Amino acid sequence: MSNFRTLDDVDVSGKRVLLRVDVNVPMDNGVVTDATRLERIAPTVTEIADKGGKVILLAHLGRPKGRDAKESLKPVAVALAKVLKRDVAFADDCIGEAAAKAVSAMKDGDILCLENTRFHKEEEKNDPSFVAELAKLGDIWVNEAFSAAHRAHATTEGLGHKLPAYAGRTMQAELDALRKALEAPTHPVIAIIGGAKVSTKIDLLENLVSKVDVLVIGGGMANTFLHAQGVDIGKSLCEKDLAETALRIVDKAKAANCEIILPIDAVVASEFKANAPSQTFALDAIPADGMILDVGPRSIERISAAIDQAATLVWNGPVGAFELAPFDRGTVAAAQHAAERTKAGRLVSIAGGGDTVAALNHAGVAGDFTYISTAGGAFLEWMEGKPLPGVEVLRTR
Ligand code: 3PG
Ligand code: MG
């Protein structure tokens, strides 16, 4: 962590701290339905407030085109106040008079949330005069929003060039965990990559084969690899036009000494539906009208054995249609096995991505992994080996 400045490197007392957070939480009729992201940032907010800093929260919600009451951060500020058990003031705009007035009314230790930064189109454009307007409100900028760090927006990146910049605590924890996973991991490293489509994860797979020792491919995307290798997969989900890409990834893995583990058996149903009648087949016996919805028991054993050999695990994407019972078995078994190894002190396990977090919660093991990232797109881009603008700007040069 030495190449990032953190809250250990600044005295926030009496300072106006522009704290960029990601509180892009799911909402239903103005009510926050999952407060995970609020709970994650809470310790950073209270730490700065308790040290006498003025906490000025900057955040986006949704993807509004201009000002839109439906995407106001006001209800989020209310939910955050509940999580913090402290008052959170609110200003109707993130720049201009409303913001300036609210900031000048703050006392040391106060918390203020400014309105959705994306109500201004200049936010996503990283517009210099918008950045300058925002910068007037603060003395320092603390980036706590790893999950928005793949965006080079005014509040996620631009401010880092204008004000002294620091990583917040969850940003720090995230960077630390990610470094342990791929930058400087203990080998052997295993990656489990699942999900429906190869097309969304080509860059990720290509980066991983050069970094990890074993790559488990599951979920719908495994079908594309099986099909490319001549396996008859019936009417399973498959991106036939990506056969060449799949073979190229397999070749690249061979050249890099990365072992690819594909399913060796499959749970097959004739429709994509919960509790659809299903049967397990070897790969040479998939019925023509069958759909692969999960990995089979022999595949699960093979994945578990591979986890046993590994010191580090990086996981993104379920290995079966986990949202439909009983096609969650492969994902649940692998997750529970990884959790056991982690609890036994034998495995560093890191997972991320929206579906993945849902799958691990479903398996009841989210609390047993070494680290779970709440980031979706940013976690993927990091796994693809791409520099994240909101992280790069924090590096001390
Ligand atoms: C997220 O929820 O993934 C982040 O807040 C980024 O949101 P965005 O994809 O709209 O930029
Ligand atoms: Mg997103």
Side-chain angles (χ1 to χ4, degrees):
M1 281 304 299
S2 55
N3 47 349
F4 296 94
R5 268 191 304 253
T6 72
L7 289 173
D8 296 324
D9 303 306
V10 60
D11 177 9
V12 295
S13 168
K15 291 202 173 69
R16 299 168 304 158
V17 179
L18 291 175
L19 180 63
R20 192 7 164 137
V21 289
D22 187 352
V23 292
N24 196 22
V25 288
M27 311 259 295
D28 186 22
N29 264 318
V31 177
V32 174
T33 55
D34 178 358
T36 308
R37 282 180 166 173
L38 306 183
E39 286 153 11
R40 288 272 179 115
I41 60 162
T44 306
V45 174
T46 46
E47 177 182 340
I48 296 169
D50 289 347
K51 286 177 171 168
K54 297 173 173 134
V55 185
I56 303 158
L57 299 167
L58 291 171
H60 74 280
L61 182 68
R63 291 173 180 173
K65 305 257 169 296
R67 199 170 256 282
D68 180 347
K70 286 197 296 294
E71 293 183 293
S72 170
L73 275 176
K74 198 159 189 181
V76 178
V78 171
L80 180 63
K82 281 203 191 111
V83 169
L84 293 171
K85 300 189 181 72
R86 298 187 186 200
D87 290 340
V88 176
F90 187 78
D92 274 332
D93 202 348
C94 65
I95 54 168
E97 221 196 324
K101 255 192 171 160
V103 169
S104 64
M106 292 176 86
K107 296 189 294 293
D108 292 353
D110 279 356
I111 303 162
L112 167 70
C113 178
L114 303 180
E115 182 58 288
N116 195 342
T117 55
R118 285 190 186 171
F119 282 1
H120 295 269
K121 63 182 186 314
E122 293 80 1
E123 158 75 333
E124 289 174 68
K125 295 196 171 120
N126 205 350
D127 177 274
S129 50
F130 182 64
V131 173
E133 283 302 304
L134 290 161
K136 282 190 209 159
L137 302 170
D139 302 307
I140 66 169
W141 175 70
V142 177
N143 191 2
E144 180 68 335
F146 175 83
S147 45
H150 55 320
R151 310 291 181 211
H153 296 173
T155 59
T156 62
E157 201 269 351
L159 278 171
H161 297 287
K162 211 55 196 171
L163 293 175
Y166 303 88
R169 294 302 182 200
T170 60
M171 172 68 87
Q172 187 182 347
E174 189 99 32
L175 295 176
D176 210 24
L178 298 188
R179 199 175 47 76
K180 275 191 214 138
L182 284 188
E183 272 161 49
T186 311
H187 285 269
V189 181
I190 186 172
I192 299 180
I193 304 298
K197 288 180 168 174
V198 174
S199 50
T200 56
K201 294 192 181 171
I202 296 171
D203 291 351
L204 184 154
L205 293 169
E206 292 201 293
N207 183 45
L208 284 183
V209 293
S210 66
K211 295 235 164 90
V212 306
D213 304 290
V214 179
L215 174 61
V216 175
I217 301 176
M221 58 195 286
N223 303 338
T224 300
F225 281 83
L226 295 174
H227 165 76
Q229 296 182 341
V231 175
D232 197 341
I233 54 166
K235 57 177 179 88
S236 305
L237 177 74
C238 174
E239 291 168 289
K240 296 211 159 103
D241 52 327
L242 288 180
E244 259 175 54
T245 305
L247 294 177
R248 186 182 73 224
I249 291 167
V250 170
D251 282 344
K252 211 175 156 186
K254 271 192 199 120
N257 243 330
C258 165
E259 183 193 356
I260 290 192
I261 297 183
L262 284 164
I264 45 178
D265 59 351
V267 180
V268 176
S270 56
E271 42 183 348
F272 188 80
K273 211 175 84 182
N275 302 309
S278 62
Q279 241 185 298
T280 299
F281 291 99
L283 289 186
D284 57 2
I286 312 278
D289 65 343
M291 290 172 80
I292 300 175
L293 294 186
D294 197 8
V295 295
R298 285 176 50 228
S299 306
I300 295 177
E301 263 172 44
R302 181 139 189 238
I303 295 170
S304 295
I307 292 173
D308 287 340
Q309 300 300 309
T312 304
L313 164 71
V314 193
W315 189 334
N316 174 262
V319 299
F322 83 98
E323 65 280 21
L324 305 179
F327 309 107
D328 58 345
R329 276 190 199 133
T331 303
V332 168
Q336 290 179 340
H337 194 71
E340 287 308 318
R341 295 288 294 175
T342 307
K343 280 195 284 187
R346 309 298 293 272
L347 185 71
V348 171
S349 52
I350 286 140
D355 266 8
T356 317
V357 178
L360 297 182
N361 280 327
H362 173 76
V365 297
D368 298 325
F369 270 55
T370 309
Y371 189 81
I372 296 193
S373 174
T374 62
F379 188 81
L380 287 184
E381 289 197 24
W382 167 80
M383 280 189 103
E384 290 165 357
K386 294 183 180 148
L388 304 179
V391 170
E392 292 308 308
V393 72
L394 293 174
R395 280 185 206 282
T396 47
R397 292 176 186 89

